[in-house]
Amino acid sequence: MKLDSYIDAGTLASVEFANRLTPGYANGKPVAETDVLQAVREVVAIDPPSVAAVSEKDEDGFVALAKRLRAIFVGIDGGHIDEAAELLNTILSEHPATPYLAKEEGVWHLHHHPSDAAILPMWTAICAEGLARMIGTQNAHRLGICMAENCDRVFADTSKNATRRFCSSACQNRIKTAAFRARKRTAAVTENKP
Ligand SMILES: [Zn+2]
């Protein structure tokens, strides 16, 4: 998967945590209760050691993290970038990253943390740093909340023109269909007029 450089794994994980682990509406329906542990494992799947390290004792912490991450999207969507930045600074100061070089199969890779770092502070730092980079590179407008009715899920816009308004193509299609029906109704009313 090729990603634009300003949207990194931390930003994408932030979207996933916020959407999977906070209550609300998704694509017209209330968000169903989820298996937190399973959801976290799926979100951190890009880093296999993280998947293995997630355990039941981290559940509440990841749910709390998801809530804080969502608050940042809500703030930015509402035009409160200063507040979102302050919130991120707080999280970053609580969970500083520890850049660390690790040799894997003979090749050096730069990681945010040593491989034995605790899973929750590590992913907190990764997510916060990703979102902070969006603000710090003047890309905050790419973080938003779905415009569709009965949906409040968040998204990170990777489109070239930054014109995304929906969390998913499902929501986009739902709104398109509703608009099409509304137009058809209006047309029918107009045609029937004497
Ligand atoms: Zn949506």
Side-chain angles (χ1 to χ4, degrees):
M1 181 169 47
K2 193 181 167 297
L3 297 169
D4 290 299
S5 56
Y6 49 78
I7 294 185
D8 69 359
T11 299
L12 296 178
S14 298
V15 169
E16 291 297 316
F17 282 136
N19 283 348
R20 287 163 178 248
L21 301 181
T22 65
Y25 282 81
N27 192 18
K29 284 174 276 196
V31 174
E33 280 247 358
T34 186
D35 179 339
V36 173
L37 219 50
Q38 179 60 29
V40 172
R41 286 192 178 121
E42 284 171 18
V43 177
V44 304
I46 51 162
D47 181 45
S50 290
V51 178
V54 177
S55 76
E56 257 165 45
K57 66 173 171 40
D58 302 313
E59 276 191 8
D60 293 350
F62 274 105
V63 170
L65 169 63
K67 221 170 163 182
R68 293 177 98 183
L69 294 172
R70 178 174 166 81
I72 291 155
F73 283 86
V74 170
I76 291 172
D77 195 73
H80 308 293
I81 297 187
D82 293 357
E83 283 88 338
E86 271 173 38
L87 197 51
L88 279 168
N89 277 341
T90 305
I91 300 174
L92 286 168
S93 64
E94 287 167 7
H95 303 282
T98 315
Y100 181 85
L101 283 163
K103 203 172 196 177
E104 289 153 11
E105 292 169 8
V107 183
W108 288 100
H109 290 279
L110 183 62
H111 292 268
H112 283 247
H113 291 81
S115 56
D116 59 353
I119 185 87
L120 182 59
M122 180 167 96
W123 276 92
T124 303
I126 291 172
C127 288
E129 203 183 312
L131 295 183
R133 186 168 295 121
M134 295 297 283
I135 295 180
T137 56
Q138 280 64 57
N139 279 299
H141 60 286
R142 290 179 175 273
L143 304 176
I145 309 272
C146 185
M147 291 262 296
E149 222 172 281
N150 292 321
C151 183
D152 60 10
R153 299 297 89 181
V154 309
F155 61 80
D157 187 351
T158 55
S159 72
K160 203 173 164 203
N161 302 324
T163 52
R164 185 165 166 182
R165 294 183 301 141
F166 302 102
C167 70
S168 60
S169 51
C171 269
Q172 189 172 15
N173 292 337
R174 196 157 59 87
I175 297 312
K176 263 194 211 156
T177 311
F180 176 74
R181 285 209 191 106
R183 266 200 306 278
K184 235 169 107 178
R185 254 197 316 275
T186 313
V189 170
T190 317
E191 272 165 28
N192 291 337
K193 272 186 183 157

Coordinates of all heavy atoms in Angstrom, one line a residue, residues 3-67:
L3 N 1.5 5.1 0.5 CA 0.8 6.2 1.2 C 1.5 7.5 0.9 O 2.7 7.5 0.7 CB 0.9 5.9 2.7 CG 0.2 4.7 3.2 CD1 0.5 4.4 4.6 CD2 -1.3 4.8 3.0
D4 N 0.8 8.5 0.9 CA 1.4 9.9 0.7 C 2.2 10.1 2.0 O 1.8 9.7 3.1 CB 0.3 10.9 0.6 CG -0.4 10.8 -0.8 OD1 0.3 11.0 -1.8 OD2 -1.6 10.5 -0.8
S5 N 3.3 10.8 1.8 CA 4.3 10.9 2.9 C 3.7 11.5 4.2 O 4.1 11.2 5.3 CB 5.5 11.6 2.4 OG 5.1 12.9 2.0
Y6 N 2.8 12.5 4.0 CA 2.3 13.2 5.2 C 1.3 12.4 6.0 O 1.0 12.7 7.1 CB 1.7 14.6 4.9 CG 0.7 14.5 3.7 CD1 -0.6 14.0 3.9 CD2 1.1 14.9 2.5 CE1 -1.4 13.9 2.9 CE2 0.2 14.8 1.4 CZ -1.1 14.3 1.6 OH -1.9 14.2 0.6
I7 N 0.8 11.3 5.4 CA -0.1 10.4 6.2 C 0.7 9.1 6.5 O 0.9 8.3 5.7 CB -1.4 10.2 5.5 CG1 -2.2 11.5 5.4 CG2 -2.2 9.1 6.2 CD1 -3.5 11.4 4.8
D8 N 1.0 9.0 7.8 CA 1.8 7.8 8.2 C 1.0 6.7 8.9 O -0.2 6.9 9.1 CB 3.0 8.2 9.0 CG 2.6 8.8 10.4 OD1 1.4 8.8 10.7 OD2 3.5 9.2 11.1
A9 N 1.7 5.7 9.4 CA 1.0 4.6 10.0 C 0.3 5.1 11.3 O -0.8 4.6 11.6 CB 2.0 3.5 10.4
G10 N 0.9 6.1 12.0 CA 0.2 6.6 13.2 C -1.1 7.2 13.0 O -2.0 7.1 13.7
T11 N -1.2 8.0 11.9 CA -2.4 8.6 11.5 C -3.5 7.6 11.1 O -4.6 7.7 11.6 CB -2.2 9.6 10.4 OG1 -1.3 10.6 10.8 CG2 -3.5 10.3 10.0
L12 N -3.1 6.6 10.3 CA -4.0 5.6 9.9 C -4.5 4.8 11.1 O -5.7 4.4 11.3 CB -3.4 4.7 8.9 CG -3.1 5.4 7.6 CD1 -2.4 4.5 6.6 CD2 -4.3 6.0 6.9
A13 N -3.6 4.5 12.0 CA -4.0 3.7 13.2 C -4.9 4.6 14.1 O -5.8 4.0 14.7 CB -2.7 3.3 14.0
S14 N -4.7 5.9 14.2 CA -5.5 6.8 14.9 C -7.0 6.7 14.4 O -7.9 6.6 15.2 CB -5.0 8.2 14.8 OG -3.8 8.3 15.4
V15 N -7.1 6.7 13.1 CA -8.4 6.6 12.5 C -9.1 5.3 12.9 O -10.3 5.3 13.3 CB -8.3 6.7 10.9 CG1 -9.7 6.3 10.3 CG2 -7.9 8.1 10.5
E16 N -8.3 4.2 12.8 CA -8.9 2.9 13.1 C -9.3 2.8 14.6 O -10.4 2.3 14.9 CB -7.9 1.8 12.7 CG -7.7 1.7 11.2 CD -9.0 1.3 10.5 OE1 -9.7 0.4 11.0 OE2 -9.3 1.9 9.4
F17 N -8.4 3.2 15.4 CA -8.7 3.2 16.9 C -10.0 4.0 17.2 O -10.9 3.5 17.9 CB -7.6 3.7 17.7 CG -6.4 2.7 17.9 CD1 -5.1 3.1 17.8 CD2 -6.7 1.4 18.2 CE1 -4.0 2.3 17.9 CE2 -5.6 0.5 18.3 CZ -4.3 0.9 18.2
A18 N -10.0 5.2 16.7 CA -11.2 6.1 17.0 C -12.5 5.5 16.4 O -13.5 5.5 17.1 CB -10.9 7.5 16.3
N19 N -12.4 4.9 15.2 CA -13.6 4.3 14.6 C -14.1 3.0 15.2 O -15.3 2.7 15.3 CB -13.4 4.2 13.1 CG -13.5 5.6 12.4 OD1 -13.9 6.6 13.0 ND2 -13.1 5.6 11.2
R20 N -13.1 2.2 15.6 CA -13.5 0.9 16.1 C -13.8 0.8 17.6 O -14.5 0.0 18.1 CB -12.4 -0.1 15.8 CG -12.3 -0.5 14.4 CD -10.9 -1.1 14.2 NE -10.7 -1.5 12.8 CZ -10.6 -2.8 12.4 NH1 -10.7 -3.8 13.3 NH2 -10.4 -3.1 11.2
L21 N -13.2 1.8 18.4 CA -13.3 1.6 19.8 C -14.1 2.7 20.5 O -14.0 2.8 21.7 CB -11.8 1.6 20.4 CG -10.9 0.4 19.9 CD1 -9.6 0.5 20.6 CD2 -11.6 -0.9 20.2
T22 N -14.7 3.6 19.8 CA -15.6 4.6 20.4 C -17.0 4.4 19.9 O -17.3 4.0 18.8 CB -15.2 6.0 20.1 OG1 -15.4 6.3 18.7 CG2 -13.7 6.3 20.4
P23 N -18.0 4.6 20.8 CA -19.4 4.5 20.5 C -19.8 5.6 19.5 O -19.1 6.6 19.3 CB -20.2 4.6 21.8 CG -19.2 5.4 22.7 CD -17.8 5.1 22.2
G24 N -21.0 5.4 18.9 CA -21.5 6.4 18.0 C -22.2 5.8 16.8 O -22.8 4.7 17.0
Y25 N -22.1 6.4 15.6 CA -22.8 5.9 14.5 C -21.8 5.6 13.3 O -20.9 6.4 13.1 CB -23.9 6.8 14.0 CG -25.1 6.7 14.9 CD1 -25.2 7.4 16.1 CD2 -26.2 5.9 14.5 CE1 -26.3 7.3 16.9 CE2 -27.3 5.8 15.3 CZ -27.4 6.5 16.5 OH -28.5 6.3 17.3
A26 N -22.0 4.5 12.6 CA -21.2 4.2 11.4 C -22.1 3.8 10.3 O -22.9 2.9 10.5 CB -20.2 3.1 11.8
N27 N -22.0 4.5 9.2 CA -22.8 4.1 8.0 C -24.3 3.9 8.3 O -24.9 3.0 7.9 CB -22.2 2.9 7.4 CG -22.7 2.6 6.0 OD1 -23.3 3.5 5.4 ND2 -22.6 1.4 5.5
G28 N -24.9 4.9 9.1 CA -26.3 4.8 9.3 C -26.8 4.0 10.5 O -27.9 3.9 10.8
K29 N -25.8 3.3 11.1 CA -26.2 2.4 12.2 C -25.4 2.6 13.5 O -24.2 3.0 13.3 CB -26.0 0.9 11.8 CG -27.1 0.4 10.8 CD -26.8 -1.0 10.4 CE -25.8 -0.9 9.2 NZ -25.5 -1.9 8.3
P30 N -26.0 2.4 14.7 CA -25.2 2.5 15.9 C -24.0 1.6 15.8 O -24.1 0.5 15.3 CB -26.1 2.1 17.0 CG -27.5 2.2 16.4 CD -27.3 1.9 15.0
V31 N -22.8 2.0 16.3 CA -21.6 1.1 16.3 C -21.9 0.0 17.2 O -22.2 0.2 18.4 CB -20.4 1.9 16.7 CG1 -19.2 1.0 16.8 CG2 -20.1 3.1 15.7
A32 N -21.7 -1.2 16.7 CA -21.9 -2.4 17.5 C -20.8 -2.6 18.5 O -19.7 -2.1 18.3 CB -22.0 -3.7 16.6
E33 N -21.2 -3.3 19.7 CA -20.1 -3.6 20.6 C -19.1 -4.5 20.0 O -19.4 -5.3 19.1 CB -20.8 -4.4 21.8 CG -21.5 -3.6 22.8 CD -20.8 -3.6 24.1 OE1 -19.8 -4.3 24.3 OE2 -21.3 -2.8 25.0
T34 N -17.8 -4.1 20.3 CA -16.8 -4.8 19.6 C -15.9 -5.6 20.5 O -15.8 -5.3 21.7 CB -16.0 -3.8 18.7 OG1 -15.0 -4.5 17.9 CG2 -15.2 -2.8 19.6
D35 N -15.2 -6.6 20.0 CA -14.2 -7.4 20.7 C -12.9 -6.5 20.7 O -12.2 -6.4 19.7 CB -13.9 -8.7 20.0 CG -12.9 -9.5 20.7 OD1 -12.0 -8.9 21.5 OD2 -12.8 -10.7 20.5
V36 N -12.7 -5.8 21.8 CA -11.6 -4.8 21.9 C -10.3 -5.4 21.5 O -9.5 -4.8 20.7 CB -11.6 -4.1 23.3 CG1 -10.4 -3.2 23.4 CG2 -12.9 -3.3 23.5
L37 N -10.0 -6.5 22.1 CA -8.7 -7.1 21.9 C -8.4 -7.4 20.5 O -7.4 -7.2 19.9 CB -8.6 -8.4 22.8 CG -7.3 -8.7 23.5 CD1 -6.8 -7.5 24.2 CD2 -7.5 -9.9 24.4
Q38 N -9.5 -8.0 19.8 CA -9.4 -8.4 18.4 C -9.2 -7.1 17.6 O -8.4 -7.1 16.6 CB -10.7 -9.2 18.0 CG -10.7 -9.6 16.6 CD -9.6 -10.5 16.2 OE1 -9.0 -11.3 17.1 NE2 -9.2 -10.5 15.0
A39 N -10.0 -6.1 17.9 CA -9.9 -4.8 17.1 C -8.5 -4.2 17.2 O -7.9 -3.8 16.2 CB -10.9 -3.8 17.6
V40 N -7.9 -4.2 18.4 CA -6.6 -3.6 18.6 C -5.6 -4.5 17.8 O -4.7 -3.9 17.1 CB -6.2 -3.6 20.1 CG1 -4.7 -3.2 20.3 CG2 -7.1 -2.6 20.9
R41 N -5.7 -5.8 17.9 CA -4.7 -6.6 17.1 C -4.8 -6.3 15.6 O -3.8 -6.3 15.0 CB -5.0 -8.1 17.4 CG -4.6 -8.5 18.8 CD -4.6 -10.0 19.0 NE -4.1 -10.3 20.3 CZ -4.8 -11.0 21.2 NH1 -6.0 -11.4 21.0 NH2 -4.3 -11.2 22.4
E42 N -6.0 -6.1 15.1 CA -6.1 -5.8 13.7 C -5.5 -4.4 13.4 O -4.9 -4.3 12.3 CB -7.6 -5.8 13.3 CG -8.1 -7.3 13.2 CD -9.6 -7.4 13.0 OE1 -10.3 -6.4 12.6 OE2 -10.2 -8.4 13.3
V43 N -5.7 -3.5 14.3 CA -5.1 -2.1 14.0 C -3.6 -2.2 14.0 O -3.0 -1.5 13.2 CB -5.7 -1.1 15.0 CG1 -5.0 0.3 14.7 CG2 -7.2 -1.0 14.9
V44 N -3.0 -2.9 14.9 CA -1.5 -2.9 15.0 C -0.9 -4.0 14.2 O 0.3 -4.2 14.3 CB -1.1 -3.0 16.5 CG1 -1.7 -1.9 17.4 CG2 -1.4 -4.4 17.1
A45 N -1.7 -4.6 13.3 CA -1.2 -5.7 12.5 C 0.0 -5.4 11.6 O 0.8 -6.3 11.3 CB -2.3 -6.3 11.7
I46 N 0.2 -4.1 11.3 CA 1.4 -3.8 10.5 C 2.7 -4.1 11.3 O 3.8 -4.1 10.7 CB 1.4 -2.3 10.1 CG1 1.2 -1.4 11.3 CG2 0.4 -2.0 9.0 CD1 1.6 0.1 11.0
D47 N 2.6 -4.3 12.6 CA 3.8 -4.6 13.4 C 3.6 -5.9 14.1 O 3.0 -5.9 15.3 CB 4.0 -3.4 14.3 CG 5.3 -3.7 15.2 OD1 6.3 -4.1 14.6 OD2 5.2 -3.4 16.4
P48 N 3.9 -7.0 13.6 CA 3.6 -8.3 14.2 C 4.0 -8.4 15.6 O 3.2 -9.0 16.4 CB 4.4 -9.3 13.3 CG 4.4 -8.6 12.0 CD 4.6 -7.2 12.3
P49 N 5.2 -7.9 16.1 CA 5.5 -8.0 17.5 C 4.4 -7.3 18.4 O 4.2 -7.8 19.5 CB 6.9 -7.3 17.7 CG 7.5 -7.3 16.3 CD 6.3 -7.3 15.4
S50 N 3.8 -6.3 17.9 CA 2.8 -5.6 18.7 C 1.6 -6.5 18.8 O 0.9 -6.5 19.9 CB 2.3 -4.3 17.9 OG 3.3 -3.3 18.0
V51 N 1.2 -7.2 17.7 CA 0.0 -8.1 17.8 C 0.2 -9.1 18.9 O -0.7 -9.4 19.7 CB -0.2 -8.8 16.4 CG1 -1.3 -9.8 16.5 CG2 -0.4 -7.8 15.3
A52 N 1.5 -9.6 19.0 CA 1.7 -10.7 20.0 C 1.7 -10.1 21.4 O 1.4 -10.8 22.4 CB 3.1 -11.3 19.7
A53 N 2.1 -8.8 21.5 CA 2.2 -8.2 22.8 C 0.9 -7.7 23.4 O 0.8 -7.5 24.7 CB 3.2 -7.0 22.8
V54 N -0.1 -7.5 22.6 CA -1.4 -7.0 23.1 C -2.0 -8.0 24.1 O -2.1 -9.2 23.7 CB -2.4 -6.7 22.0 CG1 -3.7 -6.2 22.6 CG2 -1.8 -5.6 21.0
S55 N -2.4 -7.6 25.3 CA -3.1 -8.5 26.2 C -4.3 -7.8 26.8 O -4.5 -6.6 26.7 CB -2.1 -9.0 27.2 OG -1.9 -8.0 28.2
E56 N -5.1 -8.6 27.6 CA -6.3 -8.1 28.2 C -6.1 -6.9 29.0 O -7.0 -6.0 29.1 CB -7.0 -9.2 29.0 CG -8.1 -9.9 28.3 CD -8.5 -11.2 28.9 OE1 -8.6 -11.2 30.1 OE2 -8.7 -12.2 28.2
K57 N -5.0 -6.8 29.7 CA -4.8 -5.7 30.6 C -4.7 -4.4 29.9 O -4.7 -3.3 30.5 CB -3.6 -5.9 31.5 CG -2.2 -6.0 30.8 CD -1.1 -6.1 31.8 CE 0.3 -6.3 31.1 NZ 0.6 -5.7 29.9
D58 N -4.5 -4.4 28.5 CA -4.4 -3.2 27.7 C -5.7 -2.7 27.2 O -5.8 -1.6 26.7 CB -3.4 -3.4 26.5 CG -2.1 -3.9 26.9 OD1 -1.5 -3.3 27.8 OD2 -1.6 -4.9 26.3
E59 N -6.7 -3.5 27.4 CA -8.0 -3.2 26.8 C -8.5 -1.8 27.1 O -8.8 -1.0 26.2 CB -9.1 -4.2 27.2 CG -9.1 -5.4 26.3 CD -10.3 -6.3 26.6 OE1 -11.2 -5.9 27.3 OE2 -10.3 -7.4 26.0
D60 N -8.6 -1.5 28.4 CA -9.2 -0.2 28.9 C -8.3 0.9 28.4 O -8.8 2.0 28.0 CB -9.3 -0.2 30.4 CG -10.3 -1.1 30.9 OD1 -11.1 -1.7 30.1 OD2 -10.4 -1.4 32.2
G61 N -7.0 0.7 28.4 CA -6.1 1.8 28.0 C -6.3 2.1 26.5 O -6.3 3.3 26.1
F62 N -6.5 1.1 25.6 CA -6.7 1.4 24.2 C -8.0 2.1 24.0 O -8.2 2.9 23.1 CB -6.6 0.1 23.4 CG -5.1 -0.2 23.0 CD1 -4.4 -1.2 23.6 CD2 -4.5 0.6 22.0 CE1 -3.1 -1.5 23.3 CE2 -3.2 0.3 21.7 CZ -2.5 -0.7 22.3
V63 N -9.1 1.7 24.7 CA -10.4 2.3 24.6 C -10.2 3.8 25.0 O -10.8 4.7 24.3 CB -11.4 1.6 25.5 CG1 -12.7 2.4 25.5 CG2 -11.7 0.2 24.9
A64 N -9.5 4.1 26.1 CA -9.3 5.5 26.5 C -8.5 6.2 25.5 O -8.8 7.4 25.2 CB -8.6 5.5 27.9
L65 N -7.5 5.6 24.9 CA -6.7 6.2 23.9 C -7.6 6.6 22.7 O -7.5 7.7 22.1 CB -5.5 5.3 23.4 CG -4.8 5.7 22.2 CD1 -4.1 7.1 22.4 CD2 -3.8 4.7 21.7
A66 N -8.4 5.7 22.3 CA -9.3 5.9 21.1 C -10.2 7.1 21.3 O -10.4 7.9 20.5 CB -10.2 4.7 20.9
K67 N -10.7 7.3 22.6 CA -11.5 8.4 23.0 C -10.7 9.7 22.8 O -11.3 10.7 22.3 CB -11.9 8.2 24.4 CG -13.4 8.6 24.7 CD -13.6 8.1 26.1 CE -14.9 8.7 26.7 NZ -15.1 8.3 28.1

